[in-house]
Amino acid sequence: MTTLNQQPLLRELIDIPEGMSDSDFVLKLAEGVTDAEATLRDYVITDDLVDNFRQALNLIKAAVTGQSSKAAYLHGSFGAGKSHFMAVLYALLRGEEAARRRDEFAELLAEHDWLTGKRFLLVPFHMLDAKSLEHRVLGRYIDYVRGLKAEDIPKPPTGSMPIPAVHRTDSLLAQARRLRDQIGDEAFINGLPGDEEPDEWGDTSAFWTAEKLNTAFAGSYLDESDADEHQPVVLTEEDALRRKLVNDLLQSWNEGFFSNAKEDAGAFVSLAPGLHEISRHAKDLGYDGLILFLDELILWLANSVGNSQFVAREVQKITNFVESGDATRPIPVISFIARQRDLRELVGAQETSAVELGFQDTLDLAKGRFETIPLEDRNLPVIAQTRLLSPLNDDAAVQIARAFDRTSQVRSEVWDTLLGSSSATGADIGAFRKTYPFSPAFMDTLVHISSALQRSRTALKLMRRILIRRRDDLRLGQLIPLGDLYNVITEGGDEPFTQKLKVEFDAAQKLYNAKLRPHLLEQHGEVAPVQ
């Protein structure tokens, strides 16, 4: 009988590199949408994920055909692929060849042939470090559309890109009034963009006149700080001229206003009228719908749970993505919001602070208005098999299959323990075969711990790191013990998901280093050093 020491090292049968970088298995949405080939190259598309994409496309279709704004949570644990999902959906909606040539999408795209000829303005957002929802959503929209190429716009503007009226511009117009008084109407108008309009004989003259300036300065569109954001937007002639004046000032006399606004959380109108305005702006550019990809929004709020006033203010705005008093957005706004697990799934309701529960309860109120697209953990075995555990050749596949068959002959109580009690990742023999030498019980624990403790410690990264640490001693026939998770979980400087978990984790580290590890050394003589 072949002894374990005579078995080949696992690195001889699957690819286990000598090291890895922090960027492995991590996709940043902003980068993922700019390189469809790279985004799709390693993307594993399971049947469940095809259904997820079907749900997303159905949502978009309902919004476009019904001319109503929609929103959906992309719900899953850290590492479930929410950012990757949004980047691939972005590629599908743009008609990128890298997405359309994937066989897994053939049937789905045939179902949604209505997409042909539709043009969507797709805007990705990364919410971490945002000062407010308006600051990031409205400010990022302006930066994004100003960077669009003319060939990517259905109806490109004849001159410079018009600026949507989403800034609070009372102070800007006050400065403009003072400048007008100082230099006079003629010089002031000459400094504005050179738009011209023909008269009844076809002769052209500058758009702006002293009379139009007076009317524009009298408008108040979107600028009242105490305006009811749930009231319909009504655009008067004065408001329309004011909007054009603001647009022209931002491209001439007050061009530096953008730099100041980027640093000012209060520089923008409230979210509901702001969404109406960017909807109008996108329609004017020829788009059929405005699709917002909001990555890390819920995590951004969760990271601020210590500032209850800030969280209470911002979380109440989320429903504005789908509803407001203004039911006549020029084109629908469709929002996809990445959402991590409910805190109560991670640590239990009894262990979650009152502030955190209040935050979660407020989010739950929006469930009836938002669809949920669940990115299930049961996709993980297939993804892990493809990206981490694929045999190097046919002979290696045969050897691994035989080793798994021997493992499956263990006593029933041992087998039941290896399968675990949770079905989150598909705890059956098929899932075990895909993730061998990681057991289903290991995988369930891995998902739960990585979700609870580390934002960047995704399941695939932790699995790869364990394989690297065991590269020189892990042999075919061995299973990865659950204890191997401890050291890789503690590596790096990421913070646990909540402050309560941070305190408990710090206590666990002290217990291990001060008592448990010395006891193991005393009992067994040799333990792999903590790295």
Side-chain angles (χ1 to χ4, degrees):
M1 178 179 292
T2 302
T3 66
L4 185 61
N5 287 337
Q6 293 175 310
Q7 293 286 355
L9 290 168
L10 193 61
R11 75 184 192 204
E12 299 172 23
L13 305 176
I14 67 173
D15 180 29
I16 302 178
E18 295 183 4
M20 64 183 293
S21 69
D22 289 339
S23 62
D24 288 353
F25 307 112
V26 174
L27 181 136
K28 294 181 179 178
L29 181 60
E31 298 172 358
V33 300
T34 60
D35 190 347
E37 287 287 344
T39 297
L40 271 295
R41 185 180 303 125
D42 298 318
Y43 192 59
V44 179
I45 305 173
T46 66
D47 290 343
D48 284 340
L49 282 172
V50 172
D51 287 338
N52 293 147
F53 283 107
R54 179 175 287 108
Q55 189 176 353
L57 293 180
N58 286 341
L59 178 75
I60 296 169
K61 181 179 181 180
V64 173
T65 57
Q67 286 298 298
S68 60
S69 294
K70 304 284 186 181
Y73 286 129
L74 298 177
H75 184 78
S77 57
F78 293 120
K82 296 181 291 295
S83 299
H84 222 141
F85 181 91
M86 287 192 281
V88 173
L89 179 59
Y90 184 103
L92 279 171
L93 292 169
R94 278 182 56 88
E96 297 282 359
E97 180 61 26
R100 290 186 169 267
R101 67 170 173 255
R102 292 291 294 264
D103 293 338
E104 301 95 325
F105 286 142
E107 182 179 345
L108 177 65
L109 291 173
E111 293 174 16
H112 288 276
D113 56 354
W114 66 273
L115 287 168
T116 303
K118 295 294 184 185
R119 298 292 298 273
F120 298 102
L121 181 52
L122 312 168
V123 188
F125 300 86
H126 186 73
M127 289 302 302
L128 294 183
D129 300 324
K131 297 180 180 179
S132 69
L133 269 171
E134 293 87 352
H135 172 253
R136 183 53 47 85
V137 173
L138 304 180
R140 165 67 174 155
Y141 176 88
I142 292 173
D143 289 341
Y144 188 80
V145 296
R146 293 183 81 197
L148 290 175
K149 299 177 181 178
E151 58 267 28
D152 293 329
I153 304 173
K155 296 179 182 177
T158 54
S160 57
M161 176 65 71
I163 308 302
V166 295
H167 295 99
R168 294 198 185 280
T169 51
D170 287 342
S171 60
L172 179 147
L173 290 171
Q175 294 175 359
R177 286 191 189 94
R178 289 194 294 271
L179 179 63
R180 180 189 181 190
D181 291 341
Q182 292 170 4
I183 66 175
D185 284 352
E186 183 177 358
F188 184 80
I189 292 172
N190 287 340
L192 294 171
D195 295 347
E196 296 182 342
E197 59 176 13
D199 59 22
E200 56 187 305
W201 296 282
D203 295 329
T204 57
S205 60
F207 174 85
W208 288 107
T209 64
E211 291 75 16
K212 286 182 178 178
L213 285 175
N214 292 337
T215 302
F217 279 118
S220 60
Y221 178 50
L222 293 182
D223 282 311
E224 296 299 328
S225 59
D226 59 349
D228 185 350
E229 63 186 48
H230 294 290
Q231 291 301 313
V233 174
V234 179
L235 190 62
T236 67
E237 179 184 358
E238 291 84 357
D239 299 334
L241 279 173
R242 174 172 170 134
R243 180 165 59 191
K244 176 169 175 54
L245 177 58
V246 167
N247 177 80
D248 289 355
L249 287 170
L250 290 173
Q251 299 180 67
S252 56
W253 294 113
N254 296 84
E255 192 172 6
F257 182 85
F258 287 116
S259 298
N260 295 331
K262 287 180 180 180
E263 303 302 322
D264 184 0
F268 299 92
V269 301
S270 54
L271 189 61
L275 289 170
H276 182 282
E277 175 62 13
I278 62 177
S279 168
R280 179 205 62 79
H281 185 267
K283 182 180 181 181
D284 288 349
L285 295 177
Y287 292 100
D288 300 294
L290 172 59
I291 301 182
L292 313 179
F293 298 95
L294 296 140
D295 202 14
E296 310 283 21
L297 188 154
I298 304 303
L299 181 61
W300 166 65
L301 291 170
N303 284 344
S304 299
V305 290
N307 185 346
S308 57
Q309 195 172 33
F310 172 84
V311 171
R313 181 178 68 248
E314 296 301 318
V315 77
Q316 296 291 340
K317 301 173 184 177
I318 291 180
T319 56
N320 285 322
F321 286 109
V322 293
E323 67 174 23
S324 69
D326 181 11
T328 58
R329 286 176 183 166
I331 58 174
V333 178
I334 304 108
S335 307
F336 292 96
I337 300 173
R339 178 181 182 180
Q340 282 69 38
R341 290 171 178 263
D342 188 316
L343 294 178
R344 285 164 289 202
E345 294 180 35
L346 298 176
V347 297
Q350 300 304 315
E351 300 300 323
T352 311
S353 73
V355 173
E356 291 161 347
L357 283 176
F359 158 70
Q360 196 69 56
D361 288 339
T362 303
L363 289 179
D364 288 343
L365 292 175
K367 280 186 176 179
R369 305 175 182 92
F370 286 64
E371 289 198 22
T372 299
I373 301 177
L375 303 182
E376 301 288 357
D377 293 325
R378 63 173 173 263
N379 291 314
L380 183 58
V382 177
I383 296 170
Q385 181 187 44
T386 303
R387 300 197 64 186
L388 287 178
L389 303 171
S390 292
L392 294 174
N393 50 50
D394 291 342
D395 180 62
V398 170
Q399 292 187 62
I400 292 172
R402 289 173 178 168
F404 178 80
D405 289 339
R406 288 193 295 270
T407 298
S408 65
Q409 302 305 311
V410 297
R411 299 191 311 274
S412 59
E413 61 268 27
V414 175
W415 181 253
D416 290 341
T417 300
L418 291 173
L419 288 183
S421 59
S422 171
S423 60
T425 57
D428 58 23
I429 189 170
F432 195 172
R433 188 179 292 275
K434 290 180 176 67
T435 61
Y436 182 78
F438 297 93
S439 69
F442 183 101
M443 299 297 288
D444 283 336
T445 304
L446 171 67
V447 167
H448 188 84
I449 290 179
S450 63
S451 296
L453 292 179
Q454 307 282 352
R455 181 168 66 86
S456 67
R457 291 287 190 259
T458 65
L460 290 179
K461 287 185 69 173
L462 291 176
M463 292 170 72
R464 167 65 64 82
R465 197 168 294 281
I466 288 172
L467 291 173
I468 290 172
R469 292 173 66 94
R470 298 290 307 278
R471 189 173 186 273
D472 295 328
D473 66 77
L474 182 63
R475 294 186 178 276
L476 182 65
Q478 289 181 292
L479 295 178
I480 301 292
L482 191 59
D484 280 10
L485 262 178
Y486 184 80
N487 287 335
V488 295
I489 282 291
T490 59
E491 290 174 347
D494 294 331
E495 290 296 317
F497 191 80
T498 68
Q499 182 61 31
K500 180 180 289 293
L501 282 172
K502 183 179 186 304
V503 172
E504 293 175 354
F505 191 65
D506 287 344
Q509 283 185 298
K510 291 176 182 177
L511 175 64
Y512 176 77
N513 291 326
K515 294 184 178 180
L516 182 57
R517 187 167 183 274
H519 174 73
L520 292 173
L521 286 169
E522 181 180 346
Q523 293 292 315
H524 302 283
E526 182 178 349
V527 176
V530 177
Q531 298 180 6

